[in-house]
Amino acid sequence: MNNFKVWLMMAGLSVILVLIGNAVGGSNGAMLFFLISLGMNFFSYYYSDKVAIKMTRSQPVSEEEVPELYAIVRRLTQRAGLPMPRIYITPSPQPNAFATGRNPAHAAVAVTEGLLRILNKTELEGVLAHELAHVKNRDVLVGTIAATFAGAISMLANIIQWGAIFGMGRDDEEGGGSMIGGLLLAIIAPIAAMIIQMAISRSREYMADEDGARFAGNSGGLSNALLKLESAAHRTPMQVNPAASHMFIVNPLSGASMARLFSTHPPIEDRVKRLSELRV
């Protein structure tokens, strides 16, 4: 199912790019943006994890630097039947975490500096188990490709908007849609990309919560961690590209009111309620 979602998302976001190209440059623009979408599909499949790591400014850490973190991840991967992922630290005071990679053999797990400071061992284990559940369920490829495409579409849309402001592009006599149409599409495209992210992300968070609680052997650690993380996110929003926000265990932008309109995460109270009803 997740493989199907990946191909469906690639197709959907490619259509958005082709529509942008058509609105700006007619059939020639559509063909150019179609070729760009093919290149983006290839790049995002094989290198989206590196893009996600760079977007969040995460840095690799060795076992000598964080032995307890490695010990927890190693114990959980053995329970889940997963290979050991690469471990990263994200330089942010907000407690949060995410996983990335195209498959379990190329996975990476990143935790913020704030996460390591405020969670106890049981809560940290719950968060890491949640992220490894995403790896096990092969959710991370969907999330990282969505981040790559959404970021690229937003960037292209911004270029088109500025081009329209300064009178760049062709007029109606040259065929195809007008620059006004291109401007409108440039505004709509990032919203469409975000809607695709939302449709993919919400249900997978519930599943990762449940599977993560089973990997950890209890649901209490993750429940307590989610409540702490949500409270901290309101106080300390993370400085992160919005295109990557859906990858985190809680919305890192939840401190901003506009960001909540495009939240890719289910309400924390619903997640905690489901975990409290789970028998592990």
Side-chain angles (χ1 to χ4, degrees), residues 205-219:
E205 289 302 320
Y206 288 127
M207 185 176 296
D209 284 345
E210 294 178 8
D211 291 342
R214 293 189 178 94
F215 295 161
N218 69 85
S219 60

Side-chain angles (χ1 to χ4, degrees), residues 195-231:
I195 289 172
I196 292 174
Q197 289 184 34
M198 290 169 62
I200 291 171
S201 298
R202 287 182 175 246
S203 61
R204 73 193 185 110
E205 289 302 320
Y206 288 127
M207 185 176 296
D209 284 345
E210 294 178 8
D211 291 342
R214 293 189 178 94
F215 295 161
N218 69 85
S219 60
L222 179 56
S223 293
N224 293 338
L226 288 173
L227 293 172
K228 283 186 177 181
L229 268 55
E230 182 189 37
S231 176

Side-chain angles (χ1 to χ4, degrees), residues 51-158:
V51 173
I53 292 296
K54 188 171 183 178
M55 288 171 74
T56 58
R57 298 178 292 113
S58 301
Q59 299 295 322
V61 287
S62 66
E63 188 165 2
E64 289 73 21
E65 294 174 283
V66 282
E68 185 176 1
L69 181 61
Y70 267 80
I72 294 174
V73 173
R74 183 170 288 108
R75 184 166 61 251
L76 291 171
T77 54
Q78 290 172 353
R79 292 179 186 173
L82 291 168
M84 187 71 181
R86 305 187 308 278
I87 306 295
Y88 289 81
I89 299 292
T90 305
S92 172
Q94 183 193 104
N96 223 319
F98 71 92
T100 184
R102 67 179 184 271
N103 56 43
H106 298 87
V109 173
V111 298
T112 64
E113 294 171 342
L115 187 86
L116 297 177
R117 280 199 295 266
I118 75 164
L119 297 189
N120 61 40
K121 185 176 180 180
T122 302
E123 293 163 348
L124 178 59
E125 185 174 51
V127 169
L128 292 169
H130 170 96
E131 296 306 328
L132 290 172
H134 277 313
V135 175
K136 180 82 170 181
N137 298 336
R138 296 179 181 265
D139 295 329
V140 289
L141 177 61
V142 178
T144 49
I145 286 180
T148 303
F149 267 78
I153 288 176
S154 297
M155 180 182 67
L156 289 171
N158 287 334

